[in-house]
PDB file of all heavy atoms in Angstrom:
ATOM      1  N   GLY K  13       0.822  -1.210  -0.002  1.00 97.00           N
ATOM      2  CA  GLY K  13       0.003  -0.001  -0.003  1.00 97.00           C
ATOM      3  C   GLY K  13       0.850   1.246   0.001  1.00 97.00           C
ATOM      4  O   GLY K  13       0.637   2.183  -0.791  1.00 97.00           O
ATOM      5  N   ALA K  14       1.844   1.288   0.878  1.00 97.00           N
ATOM      6  CA  ALA K  14       2.741   2.437   0.945  1.00 97.00           C
ATOM      7  C   ALA K  14       3.530   2.581  -0.354  1.00 97.00           C
ATOM      8  O   ALA K  14       3.732   3.696  -0.860  1.00 97.00           O
ATOM      9  CB  ALA K  14       3.697   2.291   2.134  1.00 97.00           C
ATOM     10  N   ALA K  15       3.981   1.466  -0.904  1.00 98.00           N
ATOM     11  CA  ALA K  15       4.754   1.517  -2.147  1.00 98.00           C
ATOM     12  C   ALA K  15       3.908   2.034  -3.307  1.00 98.00           C
ATOM     13  O   ALA K  15       4.395   2.799  -4.163  1.00 98.00           O
ATOM     14  CB  ALA K  15       5.304   0.131  -2.474  1.00 98.00           C
ATOM     15  N   LEU K  16       2.638   1.667  -3.356  1.00 98.00           N
ATOM     16  CA  LEU K  16       1.750   2.172  -4.393  1.00 98.00           C
ATOM     17  C   LEU K  16       1.552   3.675  -4.265  1.00 98.00           C
ATOM     18  O   LEU K  16       1.555   4.411  -5.272  1.00 98.00           O
ATOM     19  CB  LEU K  16       0.388   1.459  -4.314  1.00 98.00           C
ATOM     20  CG  LEU K  16       0.344   0.051  -4.895  1.00 98.00           C
ATOM     21  CD1 LEU K  16      -0.868  -0.703  -4.376  1.00 98.00           C
ATOM     22  CD2 LEU K  16       0.314   0.120  -6.424  1.00 98.00           C
ATOM     23  N   LEU K  17       1.392   4.152  -3.047  1.00 98.00           N
ATOM     24  CA  LEU K  17       1.222   5.593  -2.828  1.00 98.00           C
ATOM     25  C   LEU K  17       2.483   6.355  -3.220  1.00 98.00           C
ATOM     26  O   LEU K  17       2.415   7.432  -3.820  1.00 98.00           O
ATOM     27  CB  LEU K  17       0.844   5.860  -1.378  1.00 98.00           C
ATOM     28  CG  LEU K  17      -0.558   5.389  -0.991  1.00 98.00           C
ATOM     29  CD1 LEU K  17      -0.713   5.316   0.523  1.00 98.00           C
ATOM     30  CD2 LEU K  17      -1.609   6.310  -1.583  1.00 98.00           C
ATOM     31  N   ARG K  18       3.657   5.783  -2.902  1.00 97.00           N
ATOM     32  CA  ARG K  18       4.911   6.435  -3.308  1.00 97.00           C
ATOM     33  C   ARG K  18       5.036   6.437  -4.837  1.00 97.00           C
ATOM     34  O   ARG K  18       5.581   7.371  -5.428  1.00 97.00           O
ATOM     35  CB  ARG K  18       6.100   5.715  -2.677  1.00 97.00           C
ATOM     36  CG  ARG K  18       6.178   5.873  -1.159  1.00 97.00           C
ATOM     37  CD  ARG K  18       7.498   5.346  -0.618  1.00 97.00           C
ATOM     38  NE  ARG K  18       7.522   5.338   0.840  1.00 97.00           N
ATOM     39  CZ  ARG K  18       7.330   4.255   1.583  1.00 97.00           C
ATOM     40  NH1 ARG K  18       7.099   3.077   0.990  1.00 97.00           N
ATOM     41  NH2 ARG K  18       7.365   4.326   2.902  1.00 97.00           N
ATOM     42  N   ALA K  19       4.520   5.389  -5.483  1.00 98.00           N
ATOM     43  CA  ALA K  19       4.591   5.310  -6.941  1.00 98.00           C
ATOM     44  C   ALA K  19       3.740   6.378  -7.608  1.00 98.00           C
ATOM     45  O   ALA K  19       4.001   6.758  -8.765  1.00 98.00           O
ATOM     46  CB  ALA K  19       4.163   3.928  -7.411  1.00 98.00           C
ATOM     47  N   LEU K  20       2.726   6.882  -6.910  1.00 98.00           N
ATOM     48  CA  LEU K  20       1.898   7.956  -7.453  1.00 98.00           C
ATOM     49  C   LEU K  20       2.576   9.318  -7.353  1.00 98.00           C
ATOM     50  O   LEU K  20       2.194  10.258  -8.046  1.00 98.00           O
ATOM     51  CB  LEU K  20       0.565   8.031  -6.697  1.00 98.00           C
ATOM     52  CG  LEU K  20      -0.438   6.894  -6.889  1.00 98.00           C
ATOM     53  CD1 LEU K  20      -1.637   7.114  -5.955  1.00 98.00           C
ATOM     54  CD2 LEU K  20      -0.920   6.839  -8.336  1.00 98.00           C
ATOM     55  N   ASP K  21       3.592   9.417  -6.501  1.00 96.00           N
ATOM     56  CA  ASP K  21       4.187  10.693  -6.155  1.00 96.00           C
ATOM     57  C   ASP K  21       4.742  11.441  -7.376  1.00 96.00           C
ATOM     58  O   ASP K  21       4.360  12.587  -7.644  1.00 96.00           O
ATOM     59  CB  ASP K  21       5.296  10.485  -5.124  1.00 96.00           C
ATOM     60  CG  ASP K  21       5.255  11.513  -4.016  1.00 96.00           C
ATOM     61  OD1 ASP K  21       4.140  11.949  -3.677  1.00 96.00           O
ATOM     62  OD2 ASP K  21       6.334  11.861  -3.511  1.00 96.00           O
ATOM     63  N   GLU K  22       5.638  10.816  -8.098  1.00 96.00           N
ATOM     64  CA  GLU K  22       6.286  11.500  -9.213  1.00 96.00           C
ATOM     65  C   GLU K  22       5.298  11.823 -10.328  1.00 96.00           C
ATOM     66  O   GLU K  22       5.318  12.948 -10.864  1.00 96.00           O
ATOM     67  CB  GLU K  22       7.447  10.651  -9.753  1.00 96.00           C
ATOM     68  CG  GLU K  22       8.344  11.410 -10.728  1.00 96.00           C
ATOM     69  CD  GLU K  22       8.909  12.697 -10.146  1.00 96.00           C
ATOM     70  OE1 GLU K  22       9.214  12.748  -8.944  1.00 96.00           O
ATOM     71  OE2 GLU K  22       9.034  13.689 -10.914  1.00 96.00           O
ATOM     72  N   PRO K  23       4.403  10.893 -10.712  1.00 97.00           N
ATOM     73  CA  PRO K  23       3.407  11.250 -11.720  1.00 97.00           C
ATOM     74  C   PRO K  23       2.518  12.420 -11.288  1.00 97.00           C
ATOM     75  O   PRO K  23       2.133  13.251 -12.128  1.00 97.00           O
ATOM     76  CB  PRO K  23       2.582   9.980 -11.888  1.00 97.00           C
ATOM     77  CG  PRO K  23       3.495   8.872 -11.473  1.00 97.00           C
ATOM     78  CD  PRO K  23       4.343   9.450 -10.385  1.00 97.00           C
ATOM     79  N   MET K  24       2.173  12.508 -10.008  1.00 98.00           N
ATOM     80  CA  MET K  24       1.371  13.639  -9.539  1.00 98.00           C
ATOM     81  C   MET K  24       2.149  14.941  -9.689  1.00 98.00           C
ATOM     82  O   MET K  24       1.623  15.957 -10.152  1.00 98.00           O
ATOM     83  CB  MET K  24       0.925  13.439  -8.083  1.00 98.00           C
ATOM     84  CG  MET K  24      -0.212  12.453  -7.928  1.00 98.00           C
ATOM     85  SD  MET K  24      -1.147  12.616  -6.375  1.00 98.00           S
ATOM     86  CE  MET K  24       0.059  12.097  -5.152  1.00 98.00           C
ATOM     87  N   LYS K  25       3.430  14.927  -9.299  1.00 96.00           N
ATOM     88  CA  LYS K  25       4.243  16.141  -9.439  1.00 96.00           C
ATOM     89  C   LYS K  25       4.389  16.539 -10.901  1.00 96.00           C
ATOM     90  O   LYS K  25       4.308  17.720 -11.252  1.00 96.00           O
ATOM     91  CB  LYS K  25       5.618  15.921  -8.806  1.00 96.00           C
ATOM     92  CG  LYS K  25       5.582  15.845  -7.282  1.00 96.00           C
ATOM     93  CD  LYS K  25       6.972  15.593  -6.709  1.00 96.00           C
ATOM     94  CE  LYS K  25       6.929  15.513  -5.181  1.00 96.00           C
ATOM     95  NZ  LYS K  25       8.249  15.209  -4.592  1.00 96.00           N
ATOM     96  N   GLN K  26       4.569  15.550 -11.782  1.00 96.00           N
ATOM     97  CA  GLN K  26       4.682  15.831 -13.220  1.00 96.00           C
ATOM     98  C   GLN K  26       3.383  16.424 -13.763  1.00 96.00           C
ATOM     99  O   GLN K  26       3.417  17.201 -14.722  1.00 96.00           O
ATOM    100  CB  GLN K  26       5.054  14.565 -13.983  1.00 96.00           C
ATOM    101  CG  GLN K  26       6.470  14.080 -13.721  1.00 96.00           C
ATOM    102  CD  GLN K  26       6.772  12.747 -14.389  1.00 96.00           C
ATOM    103  OE1 GLN K  26       5.923  12.163 -15.063  1.00 96.00           O
ATOM    104  NE2 GLN K  26       7.995  12.261 -14.221  1.00 96.00           N
ATOM    105  N   ALA K  27       2.257  16.054 -13.161  1.00 97.00           N
ATOM    106  CA  ALA K  27       0.962  16.594 -13.589  1.00 97.00           C
ATOM    107  C   ALA K  27       0.662  17.951 -12.964  1.00 97.00           C
ATOM    108  O   ALA K  27      -0.414  18.502 -13.183  1.00 97.00           O
ATOM    109  CB  ALA K  27      -0.146  15.601 -13.228  1.00 97.00           C
ATOM    110  N   GLY K  28       1.593  18.471 -12.169  1.00 97.00           N
ATOM    111  CA  GLY K  28       1.400  19.774 -11.549  1.00 97.00           C
ATOM    112  C   GLY K  28       0.612  19.752 -10.262  1.00 97.00           C
ATOM    113  O   GLY K  28       0.177  20.809  -9.787  1.00 97.00           O
ATOM    114  N   VAL K  29       0.434  18.570  -9.663  1.00 98.00           N
ATOM    115  CA  VAL K  29      -0.329  18.444  -8.422  1.00 98.00           C
ATOM    116  C   VAL K  29       0.447  19.064  -7.268  1.00 98.00           C
ATOM    117  O   VAL K  29       1.644  18.803  -7.108  1.00 98.00           O
ATOM    118  CB  VAL K  29      -0.645  16.969  -8.133  1.00 98.00           C
ATOM    119  CG1 VAL K  29      -1.121  16.760  -6.703  1.00 98.00           C
ATOM    120  CG2 VAL K  29      -1.694  16.452  -9.116  1.00 98.00           C
ATOM    121  N   ALA K  30      -0.222  19.875  -6.448  1.00 98.00           N
ATOM    122  CA  ALA K  30       0.405  20.516  -5.304  1.00 98.00           C
ATOM    123  C   ALA K  30      -0.038  19.903  -3.980  1.00 98.00           C
ATOM    124  O   ALA K  30       0.737  19.840  -3.021  1.00 98.00           O
ATOM    125  CB  ALA K  30       0.107  22.014  -5.297  1.00 98.00           C
ATOM    126  N   VAL K  31      -1.304  19.466  -3.902  1.00 98.00           N
ATOM    127  CA  VAL K  31      -1.829  18.878  -2.672  1.00 98.00           C
ATOM    128  C   VAL K  31      -2.598  17.608  -3.011  1.00 98.00           C
ATOM    129  O   VAL K  31      -3.007  17.409  -4.160  1.00 98.00           O
ATOM    130  CB  VAL K  31      -2.761  19.864  -1.904  1.00 98.00           C
ATOM    131  CG1 VAL K  31      -2.028  21.129  -1.536  1.00 98.00           C
ATOM    132  CG2 VAL K  31      -4.017  20.180  -2.742  1.00 98.00           C
ATOM    133  N   SER K  32      -2.797  16.750  -2.001  1.00 98.00           N
ATOM    134  CA  SER K  32      -3.475  15.483  -2.243  1.00 98.00           C
ATOM    135  C   SER K  32      -4.438  15.181  -1.096  1.00 98.00           C
ATOM    136  O   SER K  32      -4.008  14.871   0.010  1.00 98.00           O
ATOM    137  CB  SER K  32      -2.472  14.341  -2.385  1.00 98.00           C
ATOM    138  OG  SER K  32      -3.135  13.109  -2.574  1.00 98.00           O
ATOM    139  N   PRO K  33      -5.757  15.261  -1.336  1.00 98.00           N
ATOM    140  CA  PRO K  33      -6.739  14.865  -0.328  1.00 98.00           C
ATOM    141  C   PRO K  33      -7.119  13.400  -0.477  1.00 98.00           C
ATOM    142  O   PRO K  33      -6.995  12.806  -1.566  1.00 98.00           O
ATOM    143  CB  PRO K  33      -7.948  15.757  -0.660  1.00 98.00           C
ATOM    144  CG  PRO K  33      -7.880  15.898  -2.159  1.00 98.00           C
ATOM    145  CD  PRO K  33      -6.406  15.880  -2.520  1.00 98.00           C
ATOM    146  N   LEU K  34      -7.611  12.808   0.603  1.00 98.00           N
ATOM    147  CA  LEU K  34      -8.141  11.435   0.539  1.00 98.00           C
ATOM    148  C   LEU K  34      -9.040  11.196   1.732  1.00 98.00           C
ATOM    149  O   LEU K  34      -8.984  11.903   2.745  1.00 98.00           O
ATOM    150  CB  LEU K  34      -7.014  10.400   0.478  1.00 98.00           C
ATOM    151  CG  LEU K  34      -5.955  10.343   1.582  1.00 98.00           C
ATOM    152  CD1 LEU K  34      -6.465   9.634   2.845  1.00 98.00           C
ATOM    153  CD2 LEU K  34      -4.710   9.625   1.095  1.00 98.00           C
ATOM    154  N   TRP K  35      -9.878  10.164   1.589  1.00 98.00           N
ATOM    155  CA  TRP K  35     -10.704   9.651   2.689  1.00 98.00           C
ATOM    156  C   TRP K  35     -10.089   8.328   3.128  1.00 98.00           C
ATOM    157  O   TRP K  35     -10.153   7.346   2.390  1.00 98.00           O
ATOM    158  CB  TRP K  35     -12.142   9.441   2.235  1.00 98.00           C
ATOM    159  CG  TRP K  35     -12.877  10.714   1.918  1.00 98.00           C
ATOM    160  CD1 TRP K  35     -13.004  11.306   0.710  1.00 98.00           C
ATOM    161  CD2 TRP K  35     -13.561  11.551   2.856  1.00 98.00           C
ATOM    162  NE1 TRP K  35     -13.745  12.459   0.816  1.00 98.00           N
ATOM    163  CE2 TRP K  35     -14.095  12.640   2.121  1.00 98.00           C
ATOM    164  CE3 TRP K  35     -13.789  11.481   4.230  1.00 98.00           C
ATOM    165  CZ2 TRP K  35     -14.835  13.650   2.725  1.00 98.00           C
ATOM    166  CZ3 TRP K  35     -14.517  12.493   4.838  1.00 98.00           C
ATOM    167  CH2 TRP K  35     -15.045  13.565   4.083  1.00 98.00           C
ATOM    168  N   PRO K  36      -9.467   8.255   4.292  1.00 96.00           N
ATOM    169  CA  PRO K  36      -8.710   7.054   4.659  1.00 96.00           C
ATOM    170  C   PRO K  36      -9.566   5.952   5.254  1.00 96.00           C
ATOM    171  O   PRO K  36     -10.552   6.204   5.943  1.00 96.00           O
ATOM    172  CB  PRO K  36      -7.748   7.597   5.722  1.00 96.00           C
ATOM    173  CG  PRO K  36      -8.544   8.671   6.404  1.00 96.00           C
ATOM    174  CD  PRO K  36      -9.371   9.314   5.319  1.00 96.00           C
ATOM    175  N   SER K  37      -9.160   4.717   4.987  1.00 91.00           N
ATOM    176  CA  SER K  37      -9.743   3.578   5.694  1.00 91.00           C
ATOM    177  C   SER K  37      -8.964   3.309   6.977  1.00 91.00           C
ATOM    178  O   SER K  37      -9.449   2.650   7.892  1.00 91.00           O
ATOM    179  CB  SER K  37      -9.740   2.338   4.796  1.00 91.00           C
ATOM    180  OG  SER K  37      -8.423   2.065   4.329  1.00 91.00           O
ATOM    181  N   THR K  38      -7.726   3.790   7.011  1.00 91.00           N
ATOM    182  CA  THR K  38      -6.891   3.688   8.208  1.00 91.00           C
ATOM    183  C   THR K  38      -5.985   4.903   8.247  1.00 91.00           C
ATOM    184  O   THR K  38      -5.502   5.368   7.205  1.00 91.00           O
ATOM    185  CB  THR K  38      -6.053   2.386   8.181  1.00 91.00           C
ATOM    186  OG1 THR K  38      -5.230   2.341   9.345  1.00 91.00           O
ATOM    187  CG2 THR K  38      -5.181   2.315   6.952  1.00 91.00           C
TER     188      THR K  38
END
């Protein structure tokens, strides 16, 4: 789970993302 979230990091930055909201299950 943590590795998948880290894998989203660089693509989000490349897309110009500055913040990331979520509704957590934990």
Side-chain angles (χ1 to χ4, degrees):
L16 282 162
L17 290 164
R18 292 190 187 101
L20 291 175
D21 223 33
E22 192 56 36
M24 283 201 292
K25 289 179 180 177
Q26 290 175 0
V29 166
V31 300
S32 178
L34 58 79
W35 292 94
S37 55
T38 179

